Amino acid sequence: MQFNISNRISQGLIFCFDTILACLISASIAHAQGLQAAHYKIVRLELKVNVHQDLTNEWEQTLEHEALSDVGAVNIGKYFYQYSQGYQVAEITEAYTLKADGRKIPVQADAIQRQLGVTTESGVSWPEASILQVTFPDLQKGDRTLVTVKGRDFKNFLPGWSAFHDTLPHNVDVDQYHARLEIPQGMDFQVQGQGMAVQSHQSGQKKVWEIQGTSKAHLLDAGAVNIQNSNPRWMFSSFSDWEQLGRSFGQAFASRLTLNEDIRKLAHEIIQGEETTEGKARKIHAWLRRNVRYVAVYLGTGGWVPHELDWILKNRYGDCKDQSLLMIALLQSAGINATPALLRTQADYELPELPVPWFDHCIVFIPELKRFVDPAASAIAWGALPMENSDKPVLVVDFDGKSRLDRTPSFRSEENRIEVHGKWQIHTDGSADLKLDIEARGHSAVGLQNQLRQIPDNMREAALNRWITDGGLRGTGQMSFAPVSPETQRQDLHITAKIQNLLPDPEAGAILPHPMLSNLGVYIISNIGNINPDARRYAIECIPFSVREEFSVQYSKDFELLRVPKSVQISSDALAIRFEQHVVKNENSVEGWREYSQSQAHHSCSPQQYLERQPVLSRILHSLRSNVLYVQSSSR
């Protein structure tokens, strides 16, 4: 079971791979970042979980909100509870508005509705989802709402696995959180809490844990990662370690891995003419990318168990587990050992202490090649992983029962590189002609390709003009680029444009030595991140990348250049950061280059590491913001 009160749209006690709840969570975070959540608070949340010998359980949740403003009354006016009919039942047993004067106004039966099935534009569908919706009556500032939900989990995600993980939210005050967990004596359960009080005692034939906590609302740091593992939390699991989870998942996965004659025949057709393991695996990966599309359809425990192979082949679509199952079946039919591997694609680089429902993605590991492959990532070339899969804890599942924790490879800055060549001609009236050439490699190429792939051929000029105007400029231009191909991680982009208002004041002012189309995130300054806060509560992403900018800016003869930025070198071997800038003034032109790279081993930095990096990055940012000062001769 799984729910998290950080989401005001209650998740229910549910979890599925690639779950649509990620959309709901992200919406909740965006909502909180707008400070809307400060308009209400959670007065109390009571949770009771009673686990049975067969690992099914009964639970009850009572949630009480208080509206701290009129806006808060709107925010808490509806309550949603979502669960899966494939393995749960749930009902609202009590719901009412408690007025500030003490009056209790019950929710009428017609204000409690049930919606069946969920679908999204992203291609996710969940026909077994059930959503309970409550609308509270007569609600104003100072009033409270209370709702109690009771339910039963009659099926487990995997054999032998009952688990739960809850985190107190960052986006709303919680005055009182109290959970009570009851487990029959003799059952081996692990229970842990961080930042919360956890106590245990005996009660008849049950072992009981009481968990209590409070939290205060706060804004997330920009670019925060490892959020759920940083806030107060508690969890329990019937598995003692992650390897045990891997064994159970491996058994369920293997039950669908039936290598019939159709699979073997297809595999040999695909690899025909290839002799090496690398070549065979590459061809199978390419075939999957062309012939099986990603579609997530959740049925019952389908969040953890793939569909049958025949079903996947017949429909030629499936989610990450389905595509991994088919790839492993084809590889094994070709004589190549391969196993599934579980990871989390969210901004989390650490595992919880216990094996709880945490992973949201399934990929493939090929031991002979020592390579992880994501068959669902159709835009990623063979030999690479998507950025969201890189440097993540991963559970490699062996079918012989020897699962193990590992980490997916990180990448070097050279594998996430952009080179920008800008040539500007600035005229007396402040307008400018631009020729911009961009070459991206590795993960930067994938990001650029994802942008360019969305642009129809007949809309390129309109797209560029939108980039220009969104950057606060006026102008028109044209773009061209090589065909976007997922077979390579290289992409070019060529832009010519006429900008009408590059200089805000043509008579005198300041401008960067390398002017930018600011809506194109290809420059050093747009990739370095926010390093202004003096401290952070959360870890931050520190993705390796490198950017080189070469620029030539020719000013009209009417301009006099009073100052140009200095050439500098700033680096720290200990922090794996290097920056170099060379700027040369030659009469009415400015030419130069600057290059930045950060090459740390891991993709996240702790708050302490952020503080260590901040002085170096602040000096670099100062140089990046240093301007050319100009004046027109006629204005002096």
Side-chain angles (χ1 to χ4, degrees):
M1 65 185 127
Q2 172 79 6
F3 79 95
N4 191 311
I5 64 172
S6 61
N7 183 3
R8 187 172 64 88
I9 305 173
S10 173
Q11 295 181 28
L13 305 179
I14 54 180
F15 182 89
C16 278
F17 277 140
D18 306 313
T19 173
I20 60 171
L21 295 179
C23 302
L24 301 180
I25 294 170
S26 62
S28 176
I29 290 175
H31 182 74
Q33 288 295 73
L35 295 178
Q36 296 299 313
H39 291 286
Y40 66 91
K41 68 176 180 178
I42 295 175
V43 178
R44 66 184 175 101
L45 190 148
E46 299 279 347
L47 175 65
K48 300 175 183 178
V49 182
N50 184 11
V51 180
H52 303 305
Q53 286 284 355
D54 61 359
L55 294 182
T56 62
N57 60 75
E58 295 175 353
W59 46 266
E60 178 179 291
Q61 172 191 306
T62 297
L63 180 62
E64 184 177 350
H65 282 115
E66 180 178 346
L68 304 178
S69 67
D70 293 335
V71 173
V74 174
N75 290 340
I76 67 173
K78 283 184 178 291
Y79 173 83
F80 302 89
Y81 192 91
Q82 183 169 304
Y83 65 96
S84 173
Q85 295 182 92
Y87 50 92
Q88 292 175 309
V89 292
E91 62 175 335
I92 304 292
T93 59
E94 186 177 29
Y96 58 80
T97 298
L98 181 63
K99 301 294 291 181
D101 60 11
R103 288 181 293 123
K104 183 187 294 186
I105 305 176
V107 173
Q108 299 300 310
D110 62 355
I112 301 177
Q113 292 137 3
R114 189 184 303 268
Q115 173 184 318
L116 299 179
V118 173
T119 186
T120 72
E121 293 182 359
S122 65
V124 174
S125 59
W126 196 351
E128 286 190 357
S130 184
I131 302 173
L132 295 171
Q133 176 180 284
V134 180
T135 304
F136 294 97
D138 193 5
L139 188 60
Q140 284 89 34
K141 173 185 176 181
D143 295 343
R144 296 184 179 186
T145 63
L146 183 142
V147 60
T148 297
V149 188
K150 284 186 177 181
R152 180 170 60 89
D153 295 359
F154 56 81
K155 185 186 296 185
N156 294 314
F157 298 122
L158 293 171
W161 188 35
S162 177
F164 174 82
H165 178 246
D166 200 19
T167 304
L168 296 191
H170 70 275
N171 57 351
V172 60
D173 286 352
V174 179
D175 288 349
Q176 179 186 347
Y177 177 99
H178 176 226
R180 179 184 173 93
L181 170 65
E182 297 185 3
I183 296 175
Q185 285 283 6
M187 295 188 70
D188 186 16
F189 267 71
Q190 310 296 314
V191 182
Q192 286 195 19
Q194 300 293 327
M196 303 180 75
V198 179
Q199 296 180 328
S200 63
H201 61 273
Q202 306 295 327
S203 178
Q205 298 300 311
K206 299 278 188 176
K207 188 169 183 180
V208 179
W209 282 267
E210 306 274 357
I211 299 94
Q212 299 188 65
T214 63
S215 65
K216 289 293 184 182
H218 58 272
L219 288 177
L220 288 176
D221 300 324
V225 300
N226 301 335
I227 297 171
Q228 290 197 55
N229 278 349
S230 301
N231 289 343
R233 62 199 186 279
W234 78 282
M235 65 201 79
F236 74 77
S237 179
S238 59
F239 287 159
S240 59
D241 53 44
W242 290 99
E243 289 79 5
Q244 192 174 356
L245 170 60
R247 290 192 292 273
S248 183
F249 176 77
Q251 292 171 3
F253 194 95
S255 69
R256 301 297 173 93
L257 191 60
T258 53
L259 304 184
N260 57 37
E261 188 58 33
D262 290 340
I263 292 289
R264 292 189 177 94
K265 181 180 178 182
L266 176 60
H268 286 92
E269 289 175 357
I270 294 171
I271 66 172
Q272 188 173 9
E274 288 293 342
E275 299 295 334
T276 66
T277 299
E278 176 90 17
K280 294 175 182 178
R282 180 193 292 268
K283 275 198 167 183
I284 289 172
H285 177 257
W287 183 90
L288 279 162
R289 190 164 56 189
R290 291 192 302 268
N291 292 280
V292 182
R293 75 184 192 275
Y294 177 86
V295 176
V297 180
Y298 301 115
L299 298 170
T301 56
W304 284 89
V305 181
H307 289 91
E308 299 284 351
L309 274 169
D310 289 344
W311 185 94
I312 303 167
L313 274 177
K314 176 183 176 181
N315 291 291
R316 295 295 175 97
Y317 65 74
D319 67 4
C320 59
K321 303 177 304 303
D322 298 329
Q323 293 182 322
S324 294
L325 176 69
L326 181 53
M327 184 173 189
I328 290 169
L330 292 170
L331 288 168
Q332 290 193 357
S333 295
I336 302 170
N337 182 33
T339 64
L342 305 178
L343 55 78
R344 183 175 173 88
T345 58
Q346 308 300 314
D348 296 284
Y349 294 87
E350 300 172 353
L351 280 175
E353 294 82 354
L354 296 178
V356 294
W358 183 255
F359 300 119
D360 65 2
H361 195 44
C362 182
I363 62 175
V364 174
F365 180 64
I366 306 174
E368 185 177 343
L369 301 177
K370 298 180 180 179
R371 177 169 294 163
F372 292 96
V373 181
D374 187 347
S378 59
I380 302 296
W382 168 260
L385 282 176
M387 185 177 292
E388 63 269 20
N389 294 1
S390 301
D391 191 40
K392 292 293 185 69
V394 62
L395 181 59
V396 180
V397 178
D398 254 336
F399 297 127
D400 61 5
K402 297 179 181 178
S403 297
R404 60 182 175 85
L405 284 175
D406 202 342
R407 200 168 190 93
T408 56
S410 59
F411 50 80
R412 299 169 298 168
S413 59
E414 308 91 83
E415 298 168 304
N416 187 25
R417 181 171 174 81
I418 301 172
E419 294 186 5
V420 184
H421 303 266
K423 187 173 182 179
W424 293 81
Q425 181 78 41
I426 301 179
H427 306 298
T428 304
D429 62 357
S431 64
D433 297 323
L434 164 65
K435 184 177 185 296
L436 188 65
D437 297 312
I438 300 166
E439 182 180 351
R441 305 174 198 165
H443 292 278
S444 292
V446 173
L448 182 57
Q449 288 173 338
N450 287 338
Q451 283 186 288
L452 299 181
R453 191 178 285 110
Q454 308 303 317
I455 304 174
D457 290 344
N458 62 349
M459 294 292 289
R460 291 185 181 184
E461 184 175 342
L464 174 59
N465 294 343
R466 172 63 63 86
W467 286 349
I468 292 172
T469 56
D470 285 353
L473 299 172
R474 298 195 309 275
T476 58
Q478 295 181 329
M479 74 164 77
S480 63
F481 49 87
V484 174
S485 171
E487 304 299 330
T488 176
Q489 287 192 297
R490 297 180 75 96
Q491 184 64 49
D492 61 5
L493 174 62
H494 309 283
I495 291 173
T496 58
K498 292 184 177 295
I499 308 299
Q500 300 173 21
N501 60 334
L502 180 67
L503 301 182
D505 184 353
E507 293 189 357
I511 189 172
L512 292 172
H514 184 194
M516 298 189 301
L517 291 183
S518 59
N519 206 46
L520 276 176
V522 298
Y523 304 92
I524 297 172
I525 198 168
S526 56
N527 281 276
I528 203 169
N530 183 2
I531 49 87
N532 293 311
D534 293 329
R536 292 182 62 90
R537 178 192 295 258
Y538 296 95
I540 187 173
E541 280 191 322
C542 299
I543 304 294
F545 74 92
S546 64
V547 180
R548 180 178 176 87
E549 301 177 26
E550 296 182 1
F551 49 90
S552 172
V553 186
Q554 181 68 49
Y555 292 78
S556 167
K557 61 181 178 59
D558 298 318
F559 288 100
E560 180 180 351
L561 305 184
L562 304 178
R563 177 187 179 276
V564 299
K566 296 179 181 179
S567 297
V568 297
Q569 287 183 320
I570 303 171
S571 65
S572 169
D573 291 338
L575 301 175
I577 292 173
R578 300 187 66 83
F579 174 76
E580 190 167 358
Q581 173 176 280
H582 287 265
V583 183
V584 177
K585 172 182 173 294
N586 184 11
E587 294 184 353
N588 278 42
S589 69
V590 176
E591 296 182 351
W593 59 269
R594 51 194 184 189
E595 185 158 358
Y596 175 87
S597 68
Q598 59 181 42
S599 308
Q600 66 286 338
H602 293 294
H603 294 188
S604 65
C605 294
S606 67
Q608 179 58 39
Q609 289 171 319
Y610 166 81
L611 291 177
E612 294 168 358
R613 291 161 53 89
Q614 188 192 38
V616 176
L617 293 178
S618 294
R619 290 170 58 202
I620 293 171
L621 191 59
H622 176 79
S623 294
L624 291 171
R625 288 175 170 169
S626 183
N627 289 319
V628 173
L629 302 183
Y630 64 86
V631 64
Q632 285 201 31
S633 303
S634 59
S635 66
R636 300 191 67 176

